[in-house]
Amino acid sequence: MTGVCGCCGALRPRYKRLVDNIFPEDPEDGLVKANMEKLTFYALSAPEKLDRIGAYLSERLSRDVARHRYGYVCIAMEALDQLLMACHCQSINLFVESFLKMVRKLLEADKPNLQILGTNSFVKFANIEEDTASYHRSYDFFVSRFSEMCHSSYEDPDIRTKIRMAGINGLQGVVRKTVNDDLQSNIWDPQHMDKIVPSLLFNLQSGEGTESRSPSPLQASEKEKESPAELTERCFRELLGRAAYGNIKNAVTPVLMHLDNHSLWEGKTFAVRCFKIIMYSIQSQHSHLVIQQLLGHLDANSKNSATVRAGIVEVLLEAAAIASSGSVGPTVLEVFNTLLRQLRLSVDYELTGSYDASGNIGIKIIKTHEERQLQEAVIRTIGSFANTLPTYQRSEVMLFIMGKIPVPGVHPALTNAGSGGCEGIRMIQIMLLKSLVQVTTGFQTTNMLTALPNSFLEPLLSFSLMEDPEVRLLVLTILLSVIDRHDNTPKFSSISIISDISVLKLKVDKCSRQDNLFMKKHAQQLYRHIYLACKEQSSGPQHFETLYTLLALISMELANEEVVVDLIRLALALQELAQTNEESLSVYNRCAVHALSAAYLNLICQLTTVPTFCQHIHEVIEMRQKEVPFLLPEDVFIENPKLPASLEKLEGDVLFQQSKITEVLGGSGYNTDRLATPYIPQFTGNTHLSTCTRTCTVKCSIGPLSICPSKDIVIVSAVQQYRSVCDSSVDSVGMEEQERERRRQVVEKFQKAPFEEIAAHCGARVKKYIILPHNTFPMFLMMKFSLSALPRPPPSPSGTISSGYGQTQSRSVPVYEMKFPDLCVY
């Protein structure tokens, strides 16, 4: 029998004998290297036998695993690894199937050592570049198993750490093996990403206390000592770095879901860390996709708690700071629209005190301080996004935000929104103006006409006349940010009498042609609003300091000879305003206006460098220091100013004399006629009653003709009233009292006079008024429009129109020669 067995053993296939020879009698001796070399040479010489070698090794390994002979299992895996590294023939695919079958067998074992052994073999396989593609290989099991190992809860902490790190390495191997292989199942599919990304985030979160470090390739010994969190970060960065344009969404969505499911937005730290890794790892041109997903997620959580929304906004803030200038992407205004919508929702929640009940959300109690923190975070984020935009896009964003600011009368729904309606409008105004402050911070432009167009400047200045002091201060701050192009604002942070302005090291450039055009168009608007701002009773030290800075910046950024003259006239008019006190200002306000006028005249006289002008200003300031120090900024703009109980009318050398200034500046070539004329605010057609114009627009949309049922009087439309008031209020140098009386009479006439008298007065302006009941007026309009829509014969080249009966009609009148009623002409 012994001879028969020996004979049968000799008849076994050669590849089996070579495989058997690599296993020693004692597994502790390890792989027989000499026999392994013979097996490798045989596999290279006869590649068609490679698949049989793999199948036989797989058979032996399964048997050894079942018999718990783990030493032989390790030897079999080592032999498989060496064969994989050595062989790259076309028949490698069949051998790989046997190899993956053995790895799967090890991963399914209960022993942690076998799981780690199988993972290490898979990682080595993943680093091999195959020459031929595989059409039928699947890695679904490995994704699931490695993800499960990442969440291992083994009792021994050291073994648990090894299992988790093996799972992370396995996932990294799967990604490397499949990400660039078009024939494999797409690893970026949600079914795979929903397992891979949460597994990585779980380990990243577990080691959040450890500092993130990226060991260099030379530190191989330290690489083994990496914690799961550090290894996870490297793997996560590699995964994101391989993501193409169409895969970003599938990679980021599981991150958002993981942060939601584990309530990690509220802590902010981990969420910010995750998205820092994402933004630094993906390709820069894909940054806007992450931003858009975050914005969409913010909208989806609009009824969640303020802390969750604040966490998402903080992540947006950090992501925008990291991303390049293209971070906002193609839909610039949509980004800001989303943030402004969240800002408005937060204000609504704060006013109502609860969220709307919907589904299982129910009613939640609002914490005001949390909503305020969210609002501040949104405003900072708006500024962060604006800083990534070029100048022309930032101007569009400024106009967009300005159009969102509610105005009483234009937004009746807000005004009638219960007891909190007016307060809601005020809060939204303040929040949006704060957003504008953030957007305009650091704004640089060479053309002031494009930076401050009519559509932006007029509504902005209209807010400077509101009663709310905080709104007025924000408007002035926005103007400073836009006008200041040389960072001179910090040098005027406080009002003071500076004896030598050279110590400020001001940057002054020559006024450009575009700036001259801007001042010709808008100078009177700016002067008027500065003048009216000084008349506000609620103005405080900050308002006067900001007004002083605004005057100084206009003098340095936009000044020519005409502007300098007008600014001096404005300063003297402010002195006259505080002196006459027609507006019944408080003692503090009058002293503050005097101090503002003195500080600015001291600055402008040194900018003009006219010695006699400077001498007069300095003489008056010295006299005030001796006799009335409370008219100088050093004694007014302090914490506890020492002011008199009442301020009598001042005379003599403590006032700046317009005649003296006109005389000294006239000798230097300045326009004496203009200097000698006292400044009176101009009610220009562009800015006069801008808020009233908006209100009129709303009233006209409701009904341009309102009929009095008792006397059948048709009240003239608000537009005509506005035109009449404007026509009667323009007076370049007239007396204010006379102007007010005239406007009052005109308005009273249109309000109380009979219709016949108004029609007779207007003459050719109003040809016919038709008095119709309200219910027939729409039908009348439809009839008129249908008649006007009928086709008419075109005018003949000869100037006459021939009818079908041989009759000639009169010559057609060109459009530019037609006489239209004034109410039809814009």
Side-chain angles (χ1 to χ4, degrees):
M1 292 298 295
T2 305
V4 174
C5 291
C7 180
C8 292
L11 293 176
R12 297 180 65 210
R14 185 182 177 190
Y15 72 90
K16 288 189 176 182
R17 283 184 279 125
L18 291 173
V19 170
D20 290 338
N21 290 338
I22 67 174
F23 292 92
E25 292 184 3
D26 186 2
E28 294 183 1
D29 295 339
L31 184 67
V32 180
K33 294 183 178 180
N35 293 336
M36 186 65 215
E37 291 177 359
K38 293 179 182 180
L39 178 61
T40 304
F41 180 77
Y42 177 77
L44 291 172
S45 303
E48 68 277 3
K49 301 291 185 180
L50 191 60
D51 58 330
R52 299 185 183 182
I53 294 172
Y56 184 59
L57 277 171
S58 176
E59 180 184 341
R60 285 205 55 154
L61 184 137
S62 300
R63 185 168 64 245
D64 292 335
V65 169
R67 296 175 180 177
H68 304 288
R69 296 194 295 187
Y70 300 124
Y72 288 121
V73 172
C74 295
I75 293 174
M77 291 308 300
E78 185 179 354
L80 283 168
D81 294 342
Q82 292 190 22
L83 287 173
L84 274 175
M85 299 298 293
C87 302
H88 296 283
C89 59
Q90 293 184 352
S91 58
I92 191 72
N93 280 333
L94 296 177
F95 176 74
V96 168
E97 292 301 323
S98 300
F99 168 78
L100 292 179
K101 183 179 179 181
M102 287 182 278
V103 171
R104 181 169 183 166
K105 189 75 175 178
L106 295 179
L107 293 176
E108 289 175 341
D110 296 332
K111 298 290 184 180
N113 291 337
L114 294 182
Q115 297 175 11
I116 296 172
L117 177 63
T119 303
N120 293 338
S121 295
F122 182 85
V123 171
K124 292 177 183 178
F125 161 71
N127 293 327
I128 298 175
E129 294 184 6
E130 300 182 52
D131 296 333
T132 57
S134 174
Y135 294 88
H136 56 279
R137 197 179 301 162
S138 174
Y139 295 97
D140 292 358
F141 166 79
F142 297 100
V143 172
S144 301
R145 183 57 183 155
F146 289 141
S147 299
E148 184 180 347
M149 291 171 65
C150 289
H151 292 85
S152 174
S153 57
Y154 201 83
E155 295 179 358
D156 190 337
D158 293 334
I159 297 178
R160 181 172 64 241
T161 299
K162 290 180 181 179
I163 295 175
R164 289 185 179 182
M165 293 184 70
I168 296 167
N169 281 321
L171 289 176
Q172 186 181 29
V174 173
V175 172
R176 287 179 179 176
K177 200 64 182 173
T178 60
V179 72
N180 294 323
D181 192 349
D182 295 335
L183 299 175
Q184 297 297 333
S185 61
N186 192 355
I187 199 66
W188 301 105
D189 287 344
Q191 59 179 349
H192 299 308
M193 284 290 108
D194 289 346
K195 298 175 183 177
I196 295 174
V197 174
S199 301
L200 296 176
L201 294 180
F202 173 77
N203 287 277
L204 191 65
Q205 182 186 359
S206 300
E208 193 175 358
T210 61
E211 293 185 0
S212 175
R213 59 184 178 90
S214 298
S216 64
L218 299 177
Q219 297 171 328
S221 60
E222 291 186 7
K223 206 168 183 180
E224 299 176 357
K225 301 177 183 178
E226 280 184 318
S227 68
E230 294 164 347
L231 179 61
T232 299
E233 184 174 338
R234 285 199 303 107
C235 297
F236 195 32
R237 289 182 185 276
E238 181 179 344
L239 173 68
L240 295 166
R242 294 173 179 269
Y245 179 86
N247 302 325
I248 295 294
K249 182 178 180 180
N250 290 344
V252 175
T253 300
V255 179
L256 299 174
M257 299 304 297
H258 181 83
L259 297 174
D260 285 344
N261 295 335
H262 296 274
S263 303
L264 296 174
W265 292 112
E266 299 179 6
K268 301 179 185 178
T269 306
F270 180 71
V272 169
R273 182 187 177 192
C274 287
F275 276 90
K276 278 187 175 181
I277 294 173
I278 293 172
M279 299 303 292
Y280 280 123
S281 301
I282 63 174
Q283 301 176 42
S284 58
Q285 65 268 27
H286 300 158
S287 299
H288 69 277
L289 296 176
V290 180
I291 301 295
Q292 289 176 1
Q293 277 196 269
L294 280 169
L295 290 169
H297 198 67
L298 180 60
D299 273 343
N301 286 272
S302 58
K303 291 187 178 181
N304 214 322
S305 65
T307 52
V308 171
R309 286 177 284 136
I312 301 175
V313 171
E314 287 289 344
V315 171
L316 272 168
L317 176 63
E318 295 292 338
I322 294 170
S324 62
S325 58
S327 65
V328 178
T331 55
V332 177
L333 295 182
E334 185 60 32
V335 172
F336 290 92
N337 190 35
T338 301
L339 292 172
L340 294 177
R341 182 166 60 248
Q342 292 299 322
L343 193 61
R344 195 159 197 152
L345 281 174
S346 178
V347 172
D348 291 342
Y349 293 157
E350 183 180 347
L351 290 173
T352 57
S354 64
Y355 303 103
D356 293 335
S358 59
N360 296 326
I361 296 178
I363 298 178
K364 300 179 182 178
I365 304 302
I366 300 296
K367 296 181 180 179
T368 303
H369 70 280
E370 292 180 353
E371 292 294 339
R372 291 291 173 90
Q373 290 174 358
L374 169 64
Q375 293 159 14
E376 295 299 326
V378 172
I379 291 171
R380 290 197 306 272
T381 305
I382 289 173
S384 180
F385 275 109
N387 290 335
T388 66
L389 297 177
T391 302
Y392 74 94
Q393 282 189 327
R394 199 185 289 200
S395 299
E396 292 178 0
V397 172
M398 290 161 54
L399 280 170
F400 181 74
I401 296 177
M402 179 58 69
K404 295 284 185 179
I405 303 178
V407 179
V410 178
H411 297 79
L414 288 174
T415 309
N416 299 328
S419 59
C422 294
E423 179 63 19
I425 291 179
R426 176 187 171 276
M427 288 179 64
I428 293 173
Q429 286 174 343
I430 290 175
M431 292 302 165
L432 294 181
L433 287 173
K434 285 183 177 180
S435 302
L436 266 179
V437 171
Q438 290 289 329
V439 173
T440 55
T441 300
F443 182 73
Q444 295 290 334
T445 181
T446 56
N447 189 347
M448 200 59 67
L449 279 171
T450 57
L452 289 173
N454 282 339
S455 54
F456 179 80
L457 185 61
E458 289 184 15
L460 180 66
L461 291 178
S462 68
F463 286 112
S464 69
L465 302 180
M466 296 189 68
E467 295 181 0
D468 194 323
E470 188 175 359
V471 171
R472 298 201 308 272
L473 186 60
L474 289 171
V475 170
L476 293 175
T477 306
I478 293 168
L479 284 173
L480 294 183
S481 299
V482 178
I483 294 176
D484 185 14
R485 293 174 289 188
H486 297 90
D487 297 326
N488 287 319
T489 299
K491 300 167 185 177
F492 300 102
S493 56
S494 60
I495 308 181
S496 60
I497 302 296
I498 305 170
S499 58
D500 183 9
I501 62 171
S502 61
V503 298
L504 298 178
K505 297 180 181 180
L506 301 173
K507 299 176 184 178
V508 183
D509 282 345
K510 185 179 179 181
C511 190
S512 65
R513 179 175 176 272
Q514 290 84 0
D515 293 343
N516 287 332
L517 291 175
F518 174 81
M519 291 306 290
K520 283 184 179 179
K521 190 174 183 180
H522 299 294
Q524 294 303 321
Q525 289 177 262
L526 293 172
Y527 303 153
R528 173 175 175 266
H529 285 82
I530 291 173
Y531 182 84
L532 295 178
C534 293
K535 295 168 65 174
E536 294 290 340
Q537 292 279 5
S538 56
S539 294
Q542 281 187 303
H543 293 82
F544 291 107
E545 290 172 358
T546 311
L547 287 169
Y548 169 70
T549 307
L550 179 59
L551 287 169
L553 291 179
I554 294 175
S555 305
M556 290 180 295
E557 298 282 355
L558 305 170
N560 52 33
E561 183 177 321
E562 182 179 347
V563 172
V564 169
V565 170
D566 285 341
L567 288 171
I568 294 173
R569 292 173 59 221
L570 175 60
L572 294 173
L574 292 177
Q575 176 183 259
E576 185 65 20
L577 170 68
Q579 175 77 347
T580 57
N581 196 27
E582 293 181 356
E583 302 295 329
S584 302
L585 297 175
S586 64
V587 173
Y588 174 81
N589 283 43
R590 292 178 65 189
C591 293
V593 173
H594 272 297
L596 170 64
S597 176
Y600 177 69
L601 287 173
N602 173 69
L603 174 67
I604 195 68
C605 75
Q606 297 184 60
L607 290 175
T608 56
T609 64
V610 178
T612 50
F613 183 29
C614 294
Q615 181 181 355
H616 172 67
I617 300 300
H618 291 157
E619 288 175 354
V620 174
I621 290 174
E622 290 176 2
M623 187 61 64
R624 287 189 178 186
Q625 289 173 343
K626 295 178 182 178
E627 298 184 6
V628 282
F630 50 83
L631 298 185
L632 294 176
E634 286 78 6
D635 283 25
V636 176
F637 302 110
I638 57 178
E639 187 173 353
N640 295 312
K642 297 179 180 179
L643 304 177
S646 62
L647 190 62
E648 302 297 333
K649 192 169 183 179
L650 303 171
E651 294 180 356
D653 296 335
V654 296
L655 296 177
F656 301 101
Q657 303 298 326
Q658 185 159 4
S659 58
K660 179 68 175 178
I661 294 175
T662 302
E663 179 184 348
V664 297
L665 289 179
S668 298
Y670 286 89
N671 189 340
T672 55
D673 293 338
R674 195 173 185 86
L675 275 169
T677 305
Y679 171 78
I680 297 177
Q682 297 293 315
F683 295 89
T684 59
N686 289 334
T687 59
H688 181 52
L689 297 178
S690 58
T691 306
C692 176
T693 308
R694 298 184 181 189
T695 308
C696 289
T697 306
V698 175
K699 290 180 180 177
C700 290
S701 65
I702 297 172
L705 297 175
S706 46
I707 301 174
C708 179
S710 60
K711 298 183 179 180
D712 291 337
I713 296 176
V714 180
I715 301 176
V716 181
S717 67
V719 176
Q720 184 174 352
Q721 289 187 21
Y722 169 72
R723 288 175 56 86
S724 301
V725 171
C726 287
D727 291 342
S728 65
S729 64
V730 176
D731 186 3
S732 57
V733 291
M735 302 297 290
E736 274 195 39
E737 289 296 332
Q738 192 175 6
E739 179 63 27
R740 289 176 186 164
E741 180 63 22
R742 182 183 174 190
R743 273 190 281 122
R744 188 189 64 78
Q745 292 176 359
V746 172
V747 173
E748 184 179 357
K749 180 176 182 179
F750 279 108
Q751 288 178 343
K752 298 181 180 180
F755 171 73
E756 292 78 8
E757 184 179 339
I758 296 174
H761 174 73
C762 294
R765 286 189 177 187
V766 183
K767 291 186 176 180
K768 183 183 292 186
Y769 279 82
I770 302 176
I771 303 177
L772 294 172
H774 282 291
N775 55 355
T776 61
F777 187 66
M779 187 180 301
F780 168 74
L781 285 179
M782 292 177 62
M783 180 183 67
K784 293 295 293 180
F785 284 132
S786 62
L787 289 175
S788 63
L790 292 176
R792 298 181 181 181
S796 64
S798 62
T800 60
I801 302 175
S802 298
S803 65
Y805 300 98
Q807 300 174 348
T808 60
Q809 298 179 1
S810 60
R811 179 184 177 89
S812 60
V813 181
V815 175
Y816 56 82
E817 292 183 4
M818 291 182 180
K819 304 297 183 183
F820 291 94
D822 285 358
L823 289 177
C824 298
V825 181
Y826 177 71

